[in-house]
Amino acid sequence: MVPDAEFTSYYGRPVLKAAPWSTDIPAYLFLGGVAGGSSLLAAGADLTNRPSLRRVARLGALTGITLSFGALVHDLGKPSRFVNMLRVAKLTSPMSTGTWILTAYGPGAGLAGGAEIATLLGGTGLLPRWTRPLARLLDALARPAGIGAAVLGSAVASYTAVLLSDTATPSWHEAHRELPFVFVGSAASASGGLGLLGASLADSGPARRLAVTGALVELAAEHRMEQSLGLAAEPLREGVAGKFMRASKILTGCGALLALAARRSRLASAASGAALLAGSACTRFGIFEAGQASARDPKYTIVPQRERVEARRRADAAKLRP
Amino acid sequence: MSDQRHGPVDPASAAGWTDNQPRKGFFTDTSICIGCKACEVACKEWNGVPEDGLNLLGSSYDNTGALGASTWRHVAFIEQPANTAVSSAGPVSLGMPSSVLPGAGSDGESRTDFRWLMSSDVCKHCTSAACLDVCPTGSLFRTEFGTVVVQEDICNGCGYCVPACPFGVIDRRIGEQGTKNVGIAQKCTLCYDRLGAGQTPACAQACPTESIQYGDLDELRDRAHGRVEQLHAAGVPQARLYLDDPADGIGGGGALFLLLDEPEVYGLPPDPVATTRDLPQMWKNAGMAALGLLAAAAAAFAGGRR
Amino acid sequence: MAECHPVGFQWVMEAKARGAKVIHIDPRFTRTSAVADTHVPLRAGSDIAFLGGIVNYILTNEKYFKEYVLAYTNAATLLREDFVDVDELDGVFSGYDPQTGTYDTESWRYEGQDDIAAAGQRDAPKSQSESEESQGARGAGHELGGHGAAMDHSHVIRDDTLQHPRTVFQVLKRHYARYTPELVQEVCGVPPELFEQVCEAVTANSGRERTTAWVYSVGWTHHTVGVQYIRGSAIIQLLLGNIGRPGGGILALRGHASIQGSTDIPTLFNLLPGYLPMPKVDQHDTLDDYLQTVSSKQQKGFWTAADTYMVSLLKSYWGDAATEENDFAFDYLPKLTGDHGTYQTVMDMLEDKVEGYFLLGQNPAVGSAHGKMQRLGMAHLKWLVVRDLNMIESATFWKDSPEIETGELATTDIATEVFFFPAASHVEKDGTFTQTQRVLQWHHKAVEPPGDCRSELHFFYHLGRKLRERLAESTLERDRPLQDLTWDYPVDKMGDPSAEAVLAEINGKHLTGEKANQPLSSYTEMKADGSTSGGCWIYTGVYADGVNQSARRKPGREQNWVAPEWGWAWPANRRTLYNRASADPDGKPWSERKAYVWWDADQHKWTGHDIPDFVVDKAPSYRPEPGTPGPEGLAGDDPFIMQADGKAWLFAPAGLLDGPLPSHYEPHESPVSNPLYRQQANPTRQVFRRPDNFSNPSGGEPGVELYPYVFTTYRLTEHHTAGGMSRWLPYLAELQPEFFCEISPELARERKLEHLGWATIITARTAIEARVMVTDRVVPLRVGGRVIHQIGLPYHWGVGGSALTKGDSANDLFGVTLDPNVHIQESKVASCDIQPGRRPTGPALIAFVAAHRARAGITIQTGNEQRTPPSVGDDDHDNRGEQPGAGR
Ligand SMILES: Nc1nc2c(c(=O)[nH]1)N[C@H]1C(S)=C(S)[C@@H](COP(=O)(O)OP(=O)(O)OC[C@H]3O[C@@H](n4cnc5c(=O)[nH]c(N)nc54)[C@H](O)[C@@H]3O)O[C@H]1N2
Ligand SMILES: Nc1nc2c(c(=O)[nH]1)N[C@H]1C(S)=C(S)[C@@H](COP(=O)(O)OP(=O)(O)OC[C@H]3O[C@@H](n4cnc5c(=O)[nH]c(N)nc54)[C@H](O)[C@@H]3O)O[C@H]1N2
Ligand code: SF4
Ligand code: SF4
Ligand code: SF4
Ligand code: SF4
Ligand code: SF4
Ligand SMILES: [Mo]
């Protein structure tokens, strides 16, 4: 436990401004993770011929990215504001970089997902005849598009960590070393979970392995993060964020165990998949809320900074000593 | 992003200006601020910033609270016992009146131990400005004067600059539909329009005591150092400069402050760092994580050939 | 000063940066205290004891500037034998009449000056028996604007050794001997060490090489002894040689932008322009009668030329209609029949003696003491004209005043017809501001007024024009003054009269001779024969050579440090008055460092940085024949050229109604008993014993413990006075959005008041509510062995419907009690009770206040005795209203 910090502030008011973001943003983080991971699974399933996994992953990626895009646009207010971001490309702005990653990723994931829908609809015979050449074209493009999406998907899953870390928000910024791993872990477990939820038992092996690996990476990275965050870890344990994080750990841990244990049960696999998905969502909401809380309480800004200043002062004083 | 720790940088040249002006900025000498708030009002008048709420905050004479989208100048008021020693962080004080302060005795004898600090805060126009760095639209830009300005017609209201600022300066304006620039990020422009016309910013112009001094930053920095020495000689050992060091976490401020207590007492961060200083490291980690994900996925498929 | 004059305060900060020491004497720790070197918290209303303590320190420690005091003040002058000081008479000076609560000031005069009536006397109605009303009608000191009163004497008896027991110097010494550091602590609550620190600083920084300035504003004037506060600092400044010298002086910070201008060319009932008194009925039947009371032809100095000022004024009013034959139309002037001050007028309204009222840039429903009386009074009017920038409470009282809520007023019952005229603000019209240094500065119209907004000049010009048109055919004698008035200002296409033409008229011009129609260049050119006109003699020269001198804006760096070419100062563009005192009796500067004006023997004239305030070629060695009157009577070392004896008055032998020397009295309402003598408060203060004007018990009176706290009212930088110019503006209203009371943490504990919670503050008049601001800036004081808590109340809020922020008005807490000299209300200090929580509303509020009053046993006599203990018959003559509560 970090001892109660003594510090001075201005009427207890925050030094920093919390991000002016609502639940759209953690949802966006989660859905982006699901999409990115799913594109990886989809491409793998496509290449290794696991149609049910391919289908659910491609659809998952499409849905994930669409909803996530929707969340972003909802946060911005109107779609043109998204387009507005494409007027520049700035490596110093994770949001700009992310926008370009999304822009590059979106079509591939969309194409692959679209092909899957076309196939589904084609199977029902609902599509008019004239669309058939189109569907065939889609089908042909789906694999390269899917592979592209898979490569970019890993970026989609990880860049969001930088998006959060590249702020002055203490619990996000201080986590910048571990957060990408937490996020890709979370993406892997969520997308694996989705695979477990939707694919046949026969096809779901890679999803299971990805989910379990992801869960382990997430939990390990989270643990490390909490160790290295110092005072800024406190918000992860308290309040709403704490509830989310505890839920996340239980869901992810149990989900992973269940996934391992329930190799033969479709139902149990689905349940583990759902748990992992929920766990991943909780991680994103938890980390989001923890960051916001850390920005709102001046303690998390002032105490570590004050310690840095004091340490420097001591070091300077030591240098002066004969 | 350049690492400003390797020496002073002229941000306007770094931003590509070739015909740039000497860097302009503020030196705010809080030791002569009288808390009249003329700066707050002048800023709002000149820039058409809307009213920001009629709330009695109970924090001494400060009913403004903090910088924000509709407050580009904020005068802080701190009532405290005079600490004649150069202090480090004091005990927990939320600035509320407490009964243990000097002057609380039953006579006025100890009253001289009491201080009322006032300080006018503003955007720091950081040399290494996180808000500008993270802006995805290019709405925030570096002017030829070395200042940091939002272009309200370009800002898309993403709000990313808001948590990026290590001082909590910039914010997205909230308000009823129809309010000027609602949803858009807003902060001090260092009166870009006035500077362009060779004029002094409105706040500095209005300040009766010259607590807010505007000018060429290099000259202001010298003046600030001179003033601290003067105050030390005059028996005010608490006087110190804030953001004057180009080697600090934001590469030095475009607005410098002379404070009479630790920065946090005024609501300022004691050791601000531009978050983008760590961005290369962040991208590296994210890249590794992404590769890891790719690898894990590959392994997942490789691991269990059926 | 930082709070209310922040722009002027920059010069204090600059002086501080150059090493000046700033001492702030104020009950509260304010923004001024924050940057001052020393803050001295003292009990509101106790400054005379503090200042008297400094006088005592100076005299006992021989710190006075001997040469200056001897040569330039009346220290050596002998007083009459029958003058008796307050200590011997238990708190009153000789001449006090307990029946009327007034002084016969005869015994305060100089030795040898006993034949003719003195100025303090000259206004006393001769026929009427003295009553409170006639007492209120007096006010001679004010009418002479501090220029010294008329005194039939240009020759005095001196003892230059200062040893004679009846010299002013010795009287002063005896008078202040009791004002020890211990007494200062007992009265003011200022610890001796702190007090000594101030004494040392002030005296160390005075003398030949250095000067100290005293700066005051309404913290010193809004008292029943306000005039005596200023006199107190005058004595200090004269003893230390700080008058007429650069860096010295007593600086009155003014209020509204041109409040100085509005006493020079007054909006006051008892003054004409240039501090000429208003004539009075019965006393001033002819111009000659009048002039004789303005100044005696037998006195020294420049007031002896009052006839030229007055005749020129009458010529400027009535032009050709003012002739030698008709006494220059002196009879056209209205003459005073009594007190027509603002508070008397309100009481007259309540008695339906007043039909109509013009409010031009004033919001008495909020800004005047006893707000309820103001509002109820206005409800008695037939008509009310309000010209203002905003729909202020004084214009809307008939629908949203607190009395509507309590049921004391009902909209349907109010017959007052209210006319609201939107006014142009100062940036929307041309004109001058006269600031505290008497400098007139011209402001040009920057923008056209919006909509129907018009300037005062526009309004009055056209009102006058229309009235004259209506009366053009009248043959009634009483309409002659209006018919004959000169009313010929050029107007522009908007119908706006030229402000510059008004300025030219004020400056005055030659009417006949070869210079006819040329502007006067100095008031010394004015004649009493009708050949000159001029609207305000002290302003003559502002339009010299036909140039608007007030519009000059030469930057400081392009002229000398006195900056004579910035604007124009009255009189004669002189920046420091009585500056002959900056040189020694021989005409040499007291020190090189402080050189200001001096005698140039080679050129045989006075010269220097400023315009010398002296007859320019009168040598320092000049001595008139004893008894020579007028300017010729001034000796070469008589710097105080407006004074009847050419000297500055440590002791005021005339002109004041409440004493020749400041003496400490408690405020009208005080929980503390006067430790100096039994006399509790100023024995000549104007009290109004009326059932709508109860006072809290004071000093030793029973019930005093029910109003145990002292409160004071003041301004916040963020607001302006009654709020008309700030509570309607979002950028100002948001900075101080709510009415609050400032209290110490100790009082908060004692009365269970919570920071940001509500408090109810109670006086005998009413109860108001305010948010609580607990702050260490307010300290409890140890006064006379007990702890006194003070409560601070900004007075900017009022109850109404139209402002952005509203709240109870601090002024509703006050009653009406006035200083006798200038009729100013005591609005800086009174007593009260404070309780946690909000006040009752509606009729319950009235019952609540009455119950509190009853517990204290308050009657209309309570607190209103002028003499303590009351002498027999003191209060027999007034109207006694119903007496709630339990007897006396
Ligand atoms: N911002 C702002 N500026 C203004 C105005 C405004 O309303 N707002 N009003 C203008 C006007 S009209 C005027 S007249 C001037 C007035 O200017 P000031 O006189 O400076 O104004 P106040 O705040 O009313 O009173 C000054 C101080 O007197 C203190 N005081 C009260 N009682 C006593 C006492 O007995 N002794 C001493 N020593 N101090 C006492 C109060 O605590 C207060 O701090 O300001 C002008 N300037
Ligand atoms: N308790 C307490 N009471 C006080 C005082 C105090 O210290 N304590 N101070 C006293 C003092 S010093 C003063 S000066 C009074 C002030 O009291 P008031 O004079 O009653 O109040 P203000 O709000 O100053 O009123 C001025 C009005 O003029 C309007 N105005 C501004 N410019 C113009 C113009 O060009 N033309 C016209 N027609 N109107 C204009 C403004 O909108 C405003 O409503 O309060 C006095 N009352
Ligand atoms: S203070 Fe904040 S808003 Fe201002 S330039 Fe620096 S980072 Fe940007
Ligand atoms: S809110 Fe506007 S200024 Fe801020 S980062 Fe987004 S686009 Fe840039
Ligand atoms: S520089 Fe201009 S925009 Fe910035 S605080 Fe000052 S007045 Fe406002
Ligand atoms: S204008 Fe100047 S003195 Fe007034 S509050 Fe602002 S910085 Fe302080
Ligand atoms: S309001 Fe006008 S007069 Fe008052 S301080 Fe400001 S500038 Fe000076
Ligand atoms: Mo005033």
Side-chain angles (χ1 to χ4, degrees), chain B residues 49 52 58 61 79 97 104 111, chain C residues 731 734 742 746 755 774-776:
Chain B
V49 179
D52 204 10
Y61 277 2
E79 302 182 7
R111 161 53 91 234
Chain C
Y731 293 163
E734 67 178 326
E742 290 184 322
E746 290 75 11
H755 188 59
V774 181
T775 169
D776 283 298

Side-chain angles (χ1 to χ4, degrees), chain C residues 310-325:
Chain C
M310 186 65 188
V311 171
S312 297
L313 175 65
L314 293 169
K315 287 297 284 184
S316 83
Y317 284 165
W318 286 291
D320 292 341
T323 62
E324 186 124 36
E325 291 69 47

Side-chain angles (χ1 to χ4, degrees), chain B residues 30-38 40-41 44-64 70-71 77 79 96-109 111-112 114-118 206-210 227 230, chain C residues 2-3 6-11 13 16-17 28-32 34-35 37-39 41 185 189 191 193-194 197 714 716-718 730-740 742 745-746 749 755-756 771-782 787 804-805:
Chain B
T30 70
S31 72
I32 52 173
C33 176
I34 55 171
C36 67
K37 305 185 192 169
E40 283 194 25
V41 178
K44 290 206 165 190
E45 280 288 348
W46 179 261
N47 295 296
V49 179
E51 174 233 290
D52 204 10
L54 296 161
N55 306 315
L56 185 74
L57 301 182
S59 27
S60 191
Y61 277 2
D62 176 8
N63 292 305
T64 306
S70 298
T71 299
F77 289 76
E79 302 182 7
M96 302 306 289
S98 85
S99 52
V100 294
L101 296 180
S106 54
D107 54 49
E109 284 168 63
R111 161 53 91 234
T112 40
F114 178 79
R115 290 205 298 182
W116 199 10
L117 304 178
M118 291 145 201
C207 176
T209 62
E210 293 183 354
R227 176 69 180 155
Q230 194 187 349
Chain C
E3 295 270 355
V7 174
F9 197 73
Q10 67 184 293
W11 307 116
M13 293 305 281
K16 193 177 176 228
R28 303 174 311 121
F29 192 99
T30 73
R31 280 176 256 229
T32 314
V35 290
D37 293 288
T38 309
H39 170 233
Q185 178 168 37
E193 312 78 59
L194 187 56
Q197 214 180 308
Y714 49 88
L716 300 167
T717 311
E718 295 87 341
Y731 293 163
L732 295 176
E734 67 178 326
L735 298 178
Q736 289 290 6
E738 249 185 284
F739 178 46
F740 58 86
E742 290 184 322
E746 290 75 11
R749 267 199 302 276
H755 188 59
L756 286 183
R771 299 287 296 278
V772 175
M773 176 95 78
V774 181
T775 169
D776 283 298
R777 290 183 295 101
V778 178
V779 269
L781 298 170
R782 188 163 288 281
V787 172
L804 291 170
T805 132

